[in-house]
Amino acid sequence: MSTRPAGGSPPASERRARTRARLLDAAHEVFAEVGMDAASVEMICERAGFTRGAFYSNFESKDELFLALITQLADAKLEEVAGRVRGLEPDTLADPSALVRQVVGVSLGERLEPQLVSEIRTQALRDPRLAAAYLAWQEVMRSRVEEIIRHVVDTYGLRLRLPIEEAAQLLLDVSDDTCTRATLEGRPVGEVTALLNERIERLVGVLVDAP
């Protein structure tokens, strides 16, 4: 039951969350139009309809904003994969490759552009503070992937040729390299997705020990 007075304003925490969400959406729109380097705080604030004060009450810098953005987008994509895993029956599939097509065959989507992740990483190479935050984000992503792999291994009784922690890191490394190279080659998002899924499927075929 809500404690908000009838006709009253939303709590400060709710207003802050909405402001943050609008800034993230605006940053994504501006990035898609002009790229991260050209996307200024002013442009993002104007697109979101907020002042610079509202921006800096939520984010210390543009880099922090973009890191928060890729965290949000990557979390949503991993949750989509995890949802597929949870929805599969233990005896649905016996072929690991078919299992990967069912579980990992998820599009990068219109929001999680590989260019965005690549640009954040490039900035992190030049900024020690952003580098530390980026590495922390990578560690969280690895933990999420580990959880997904562990669930699949336990559910299907699979055996891996590497420890789960190493398998998760290898999957992330291959994904990162594939997206970076494909972006440098100027491939559209659809082609990047298809190439990524193909390489992940082949890698899993190597990682899973045949019964």
Side-chain angles (χ1 to χ4, degrees), residues 121-182:
R121 186 174 56 253
T122 300
Q123 296 290 336
L125 289 171
R126 298 193 287 258
D127 183 341
R129 289 204 326 168
L130 183 59
Y134 180 83
L135 290 173
W137 172 73
Q138 285 271 294
E139 185 65 22
V140 171
M141 293 300 102
R142 186 180 62 79
S143 296
R144 292 288 307 278
V145 174
E146 277 184 34
E147 292 174 7
I148 294 171
I149 294 174
R150 184 168 285 106
H151 182 91
V152 171
V153 166
D154 291 345
T155 300
Y156 289 87
L158 300 177
R159 292 183 300 170
L160 300 183
R161 291 189 171 96
L162 290 176
I164 288 177
E165 296 80 3
E166 294 182 26
Q169 187 62 59
L170 185 57
L171 286 168
L172 285 175
D173 289 344
V174 169
S175 298
D176 186 59
D177 179 73
T178 300
C179 290
T180 298
R181 184 175 182 84

Side-chain angles (χ1 to χ4, degrees), residues 103-124:
V103 174
V104 185
V106 179
S107 170
L108 292 172
E110 298 179 354
R111 291 180 58 79
L112 185 55
E113 296 92 343
Q115 296 95 325
L116 177 57
V117 179
S118 296
E119 288 202 39
I120 283 286
R121 186 174 56 253
T122 300
Q123 296 290 336

Side-chain angles (χ1 to χ4, degrees), residues 18-30 40-52 54-55 58-59 65:
R18 289 180 180 177
T19 299
R20 186 179 177 89
R22 285 174 60 185
L23 285 168
L24 287 168
D25 286 342
H28 191 267
E29 292 175 8
V30 173
S40 66
V41 171
E42 289 75 13
M43 294 170 65
I44 295 168
C45 289
E46 182 178 355
R47 181 65 59 89
F50 293 124
T51 64
R52 287 172 60 91
F55 179 94
N58 285 274
F59 303 100
L65 167 66

